[in-house]
Amino acid sequence: MKQSNVIKLFSIVLGLWLLFNPIGTQAETAKYETIKTEYQYAAKVACSLLLPHQDGTLAKGIYRTIINIHNPASKKITVAAKVALSTQMGSEPGPFNVTPFKGITLQPDGAVGVNCFDIAGYFCPINGVCVDFAFLEGFLVVKSPVPLDVVGVYTARPVEGEVQSIDVETVQSKRIHDIVKLGTTEPLGRGEGKRVDYPPKGSAAYDGQKPKQMCGGIAGFPCPEGMKCVDDPSDDCDPAKGGADCAGICVK
């Protein structure tokens, strides 16, 4: 067979293979799924994680948020959620200001609670990087194919002491028509990827205090080599008293 005929035959076979096996389709199918959404909810979040809020955006103290999401439908659904950080007016958006969407499965008439440590888990990993937040504020954005009941519960207290304020807010929906791509990113293992601090350690936001490093929780944050994860005695989540998915701190 002449070389030109071989090339033509190869081109025909390759074209047929690409027709039925487009490049990237199998990888895309394995890595992502999409959902069609009709409703959006933007719930405010304010979270003190490793230090009290003390950067001037809020009064110095301990802030906690939990967003409760209820599915009133009679069938199981998947909703999409992401976190958008609040930044200073006029500042350029950074690489971690908005997270990718993650899926949340809701059973018929089922509900879930998304707490501060779940929210921090949306930032681990993003492109192989995990963000350790001293504190954060922004929005949990939820997109759903059906109407939901979304309620935010907000508590605050002084650095030392019990809860002193609580507020409950019903989050209103916004009609949208959007197809959302959900990522299936696997958590990083011990020693994998890179960790960054937000705000950066040593900045004025810490007011001279040494930040702790968070570990454990629902996201399963690992500790660096040579350190172990123990319960954080300064928070109000105690695994010995029935606390679920309590975050810890890394100690030597």
Side-chain angles (χ1 to χ4, degrees), residues 45 81-85 97-100 119 122-123 136 139-141:
V45 296
K82 67 179 180 181
V83 180
L85 290 181
N97 283 23
V98 182
T99 72
I119 291 164
Y122 277 75
F123 294 87
L136 66 86
F139 291 89
L140 178 71
V141 181

Side-chain angles (χ1 to χ4, degrees), residues 158-179:
V159 176
E160 301 293 339
E162 301 296 325
V163 62
Q164 291 209 347
S165 70
I166 183 170
D167 186 34
V168 178
E169 178 183 348
T170 299
V171 183
Q172 301 299 321
S173 66
K174 177 182 179 181
R175 289 303 302 265
I176 60 169
H177 301 283
D178 194 12
I179 296 177

Side-chain angles (χ1 to χ4, degrees), residues 15-22 26:
L16 289 172
W17 187 89
L18 289 174
L19 178 63
F20 295 101
N21 299 274
Q26 292 180 344

Side-chain angles (χ1 to χ4, degrees), residues 85-189:
L85 290 181
S86 297
T87 59
Q88 288 186 334
M89 191 76 122
S91 63
E92 292 293 326
F96 305 110
N97 283 23
V98 182
T99 72
F101 279 102
K102 291 185 179 182
I104 300 175
T105 300
L106 293 168
Q107 299 298 326
D109 202 28
V112 297
V114 184
N115 63 36
C116 283
F117 298 103
D118 301 328
I119 291 164
Y122 277 75
F123 294 87
C124 184
I126 299 177
N127 295 328
V129 178
C130 288
V131 184
D132 291 325
F133 285 94
F135 33 80
L136 66 86
E137 66 166 315
F139 291 89
L140 178 71
V141 181
V142 180
K143 296 188 177 186
S144 171
V146 301
L148 301 171
D149 302 316
V150 180
V151 176
V153 181
Y154 308 93
T155 57
R157 65 173 175 84
V159 176
E160 301 293 339
E162 301 296 325
V163 62
Q164 291 209 347
S165 70
I166 183 170
D167 186 34
V168 178
E169 178 183 348
T170 299
V171 183
Q172 301 299 321
S173 66
K174 177 182 179 181
R175 289 303 302 265
I176 60 169
H177 301 283
D178 194 12
I179 296 177
V180 179
K181 183 170 68 173
L182 303 178
T184 57
T185 309
E186 295 295 327
L188 294 179

